[in-house]
Amino acid sequence: MWLHLLFLLLNSGALAAEIADLRRGFYKQTCPEAESVVRLVMEKSMRREARSIASVMRLQFHDCFVNGCDGSVLLDDTETMLGEKLSLSNINSLRSYEVVDEIKEELERACPGVVSCADILIMAARDAVALSGGPNWEVKLGRLDSLTASQEDSDNIMPSPRANATYLIDLFTKFNLSVQDLVALSGSHSLGKGRCFSVVFRLYNQSGTGRPDPAMDYEFREKLDKLCPLGGDGNVTGDLDATPEVFDNQYFVDLTRGRGFLNSDETLFTTPRTRGYVRLYSRDQKAFFDAFVEGMIKMGDLQSGRPGEVRRNCRVVNGHLPPRNSFAS
């Protein structure tokens, strides 16, 4: 139900007064160093652990699809609110919240109370891609942070690693995102790793058959069998594509060879409606980059129209914070 309501809000004039006027250069006057601060912290994080920036990039996806891009995914649970961090789709896949904390602390020193956590996620996702060899683009900023979060909403919307292309197409359509957007944005899996927990069913019980996914390349399946044995540690991680620290089109090349890590990846090649885009991007990296940037900007435009604020700490709303002079340093 809430999905239908959000779709109507995004495609009508309702609550227009609550929809932020997103634009490039939003902090040019109020915090001109904002984007450079975010980039510097992301660079430092990348040097510490290359995987961390891919993890930060994922946060934008998991934030924007649940009630718009409002930083709700960053809120910790409270006595009266179950947040999104422990939802079924997030508990085993999201990490590196501390990188966002570090960015926020630096921005609070530079220009207190100005830059929202929701905007930090948008800038950091762009920087994760650019620092890994992918495209760079100007981001639209000006979002406010949510006053609440909802584990239930996250459970209801975020797709499982088992999702098929038909389900994903329907989901993206609800947000006015096209099939091309779906395939291009799935290319975010050019970076990072996935857990055995998310792939073990493909290896041993695809669709309840008791057998592996027939779409998987045999040698690739043997490799994953060793990495993720039946009954093994579900937290062991494997590369999402053959170049997990470089943002390139290798992800799509792998899909054409039956080497997609997740079911939700490989299904893009086995489904006729999405296969053509996979083939295109496997051959033409620039076409992928262009479509990815377009999709990221469109996804970043998603808003719920709900009231918001600029949080001083991304994990809690301002009403639950101590006085500013005790802010963590």
Side-chain angles (χ1 to χ4, degrees):
M1 175 63 71
W2 76 266
L3 260 181
H4 179 65
L5 175 60
L6 178 58
F7 182 66
L8 290 176
L9 290 176
L10 290 171
N11 290 277
S12 73
L15 295 180
E18 300 290 344
I19 299 296
D21 178 20
L22 305 179
R23 63 183 187 274
R24 296 172 178 84
F26 182 84
Y27 297 110
K28 185 176 181 180
Q29 302 299 325
T30 57
C31 190
E33 61 267 57
E35 294 195 45
S36 61
V37 168
V38 177
R39 180 68 64 102
L40 285 172
V41 176
M42 290 291 284
E43 288 174 344
K44 284 169 40 180
S45 179
M46 186 178 187
R47 289 194 293 269
R48 289 194 301 263
E49 183 199 9
R51 183 187 173 198
S52 67
I53 66 170
S55 300
V56 173
M57 177 181 64
R58 306 249 190 283
L59 292 173
Q60 177 181 336
F61 287 75
H62 289 247
D63 184 40
C64 290
F65 276 103
V66 181
N67 296 318
C69 309
D70 60 2
S72 61
V73 72
L74 302 173
L75 287 172
D76 289 339
D77 290 352
T78 69
E79 292 181 358
T80 59
M81 181 197 76
L82 288 178
E84 297 162 25
K85 290 180 177 178
L86 298 183
S87 69
L88 296 175
S89 59
N90 294 346
I91 189 171
N92 288 311
S93 61
L94 296 187
R95 58 193 294 276
S96 296
Y97 296 104
E98 71 281 356
V99 178
V100 180
D101 293 337
E102 185 178 351
I103 293 171
K104 182 59 175 173
E105 289 174 12
E106 291 294 328
L107 286 170
E108 285 297 303
R109 292 189 184 97
C111 34
V114 173
V115 182
S116 69
C117 301
D119 277 346
I120 288 173
L121 292 183
I122 299 296
M123 290 184 278
R126 182 269 311 275
D127 291 348
V129 172
L131 290 170
S132 303
N136 195 17
W137 65 96
E138 289 189 71
V139 290
K140 293 191 287 185
L141 303 170
R143 297 163 190 81
L144 291 177
D145 298 321
S146 67
L147 304 178
T148 187
S150 172
Q151 188 176 118
E152 181 181 5
D153 286 350
S154 184
D155 283 337
N156 287 341
I157 186 58
M158 292 307 300
S160 157
R162 304 187 184 197
N164 61 39
T166 300
Y167 174 86
L168 294 171
I169 290 170
D170 290 344
L171 172 62
F172 272 58
T173 298
K174 288 183 173 70
F175 292 102
N176 212 23
L177 295 169
S178 67
V179 174
Q180 182 174 7
D181 294 327
L182 162 63
V183 179
L185 289 172
S186 297
S188 64
H189 285 177
S190 173
L191 295 178
K193 296 176 179 289
R195 298 174 188 263
C196 286
F197 170 84
S198 299
V199 73
V200 68
F201 76 97
R202 291 189 69 204
L203 298 171
Y204 307 108
N205 192 29
Q206 175 77 332
S207 302
T209 63
R211 303 175 64 83
D213 181 357
M216 294 181 74
D217 171 75
Y218 179 76
E219 291 183 0
F220 184 65
R221 193 185 78 213
E222 283 192 323
K223 176 183 174 181
L224 290 184
D225 282 342
K226 294 176 182 178
L227 180 71
C228 308
L230 189 62
D233 184 355
N235 289 319
V236 171
T237 58
D239 298 337
L240 288 174
D241 79 357
T243 56
E245 296 181 5
V246 179
F247 193 91
D248 56 17
N249 68 335
Q250 183 64 46
Y251 166 82
F252 297 103
V253 174
D254 288 351
L255 295 189
T256 66
R257 298 172 178 173
R259 291 172 173 257
F261 188 83
L262 302 175
N263 192 75
S264 56
D265 293 326
E266 194 59 49
T267 187
L268 298 176
F269 187 66
T270 59
T271 302
R273 290 185 67 186
T274 50
R275 183 184 300 135
Y277 287 115
V278 173
R279 283 183 170 146
L280 170 63
Y281 299 149
S282 72
R283 298 190 303 262
D284 189 339
Q285 182 166 275
K286 184 180 184 303
F288 162 48
F289 283 3
D290 291 345
F292 182 83
V293 169
E294 180 180 348
M296 289 291 279
I297 292 171
K298 289 169 67 175
M299 179 172 61
D301 286 344
L302 294 174
Q303 298 184 59
S304 70
R306 296 177 176 180
E309 65 181 6
V310 175
R311 290 187 216 131
R312 287 162 36 214
N313 180 322
C314 292
R315 294 176 180 263
V316 293
V317 299
N318 291 341
H320 290 88
L321 281 173
R324 182 177 297 281
N325 59 12
S326 62
F327 188 81
S329 61

